[in-house]
Amino acid sequence: MFTGIVENIGNIKRIEKEQENLHITVESAFASELQIDQSVLHNGICLTVVALADGEYTVTAIKETIDVTSIGQWRVGQELNLERAMLMNGRLDGHIVQGHVDHIATCVSIEEVGGSTYFGFEYKTTSQHVTIEKGSITIDGTSLTVVDSGINTFKVAIIPYTLEHTIFKHYQVGTVVNLEFDVVGKYVAKLVQLRSL
């Protein structure tokens, strides 16, 4: 379990294909503190550490993960938002994030407004995944609050600190991101769907 508060920005050093899997080696400031089998959030995707080296670690993505996330578009040299699993004795500064990506979305607008940056996103319409005003959403592993909710669109406002300390600073119109919708909202949507059967 995670909080959506980005802890570090990592850098992809190697990507190796093995049958349908991808082995991704990441350079990170906290690599020396990791252990084999630990979970780390990479742009919102929970991946397990399978190997460690000096200042680097390797994770493996299976076909199902590759098919439903942006991971297939990742390239050597790309920066990633990273977060280690939440400590149960700490504060939950963001919201409950599982690291299970629901959808990908495309950045459709970027606008500077009064010291903040508003990013607009569009995703494939679905009855199970919706946003609400002031609700939580995770974009590439970053816990954010929805400020403008539509049927299959929404916006978030990014403060300068978050812009500087996450990969949001690299986003452009057309950037593809990973979305994880609020877990409570997903349960409510599923219950409503079941009641209508």
Side-chain angles (χ1 to χ4, degrees):
M1 188 171 300
F2 305 90
T3 67
I5 303 300
V6 175
E7 183 178 356
N8 186 239
I9 293 180
N11 189 283
I12 298 176
K13 304 304 285 186
R14 287 181 301 286
I15 300 175
E16 299 168 7
K17 188 169 177 59
E18 181 185 19
Q19 296 182 31
E20 294 186 329
N21 296 339
L22 288 178
H23 302 294
I24 301 154
T25 300
V26 179
E27 181 181 54
S28 167
F30 60 56
S32 63
E33 301 171 38
L34 296 175
Q35 297 177 3
I36 302 294
D37 268 354
Q38 283 188 318
S39 296
V40 178
L41 205 63
H42 302 76
N43 280 10
I45 307 166
C46 179
L47 298 169
T48 302
V49 175
V50 298
L52 294 166
D54 187 32
E56 299 176 352
Y57 64 92
T58 301
V59 293
T60 300
I62 62 174
K63 183 179 187 303
E64 197 265 334
T65 302
I66 297 165
D67 287 346
V68 300
T69 69
S70 66
I71 206 165
Q73 299 176 30
W74 291 2
R75 299 291 174 257
V76 171
Q78 179 175 334
E79 291 187 329
L80 302 173
N81 288 330
L82 303 178
E83 180 190 357
R84 289 179 285 182
M86 178 177 68
L87 294 171
M88 293 307 287
N89 65 346
R91 290 186 174 90
L92 183 61
D93 290 323
H95 71 282
I96 296 172
V97 175
Q98 296 178 297
H100 304 155
V101 173
D102 296 306
H103 277 300
I104 56 172
T106 302
C107 180
V108 293
S109 65
I110 302 172
E111 182 183 9
E112 301 288 334
V113 180
S116 295
T117 307
Y118 284 70
F119 290 83
F121 296 93
E122 184 174 342
Y123 60 96
K124 184 178 176 182
T125 304
T126 170
S127 61
Q128 293 182 347
H129 301 113
V130 297
T131 59
I132 61 168
E133 296 289 327
K134 308 296 186 276
S136 296
I137 187 82
T138 306
I139 302 174
D140 276 345
T142 308
S143 173
L144 296 163
T145 302
V146 174
V147 295
D148 185 8
S149 176
I151 300 294
N152 64 330
T153 63
F154 65 92
K155 288 183 181 178
V156 292
I158 306 296
I159 63 173
Y161 180 89
T162 302
L163 190 66
E164 178 62 28
H165 291 89
T166 67
I167 62 169
F168 268 86
K169 61 180 169 280
H170 300 307
Y171 288 2
Q172 301 174 350
V173 171
T175 296
V176 176
V177 300
N178 295 311
L179 298 182
E180 181 180 330
F181 293 85
D182 180 61
V183 66
V184 176
K186 288 191 282 189
Y187 275 106
V188 170
K190 186 69 171 179
L191 287 170
V192 169
Q193 183 184 39
L194 289 172
R195 287 178 183 253
S196 65
L197 295 179

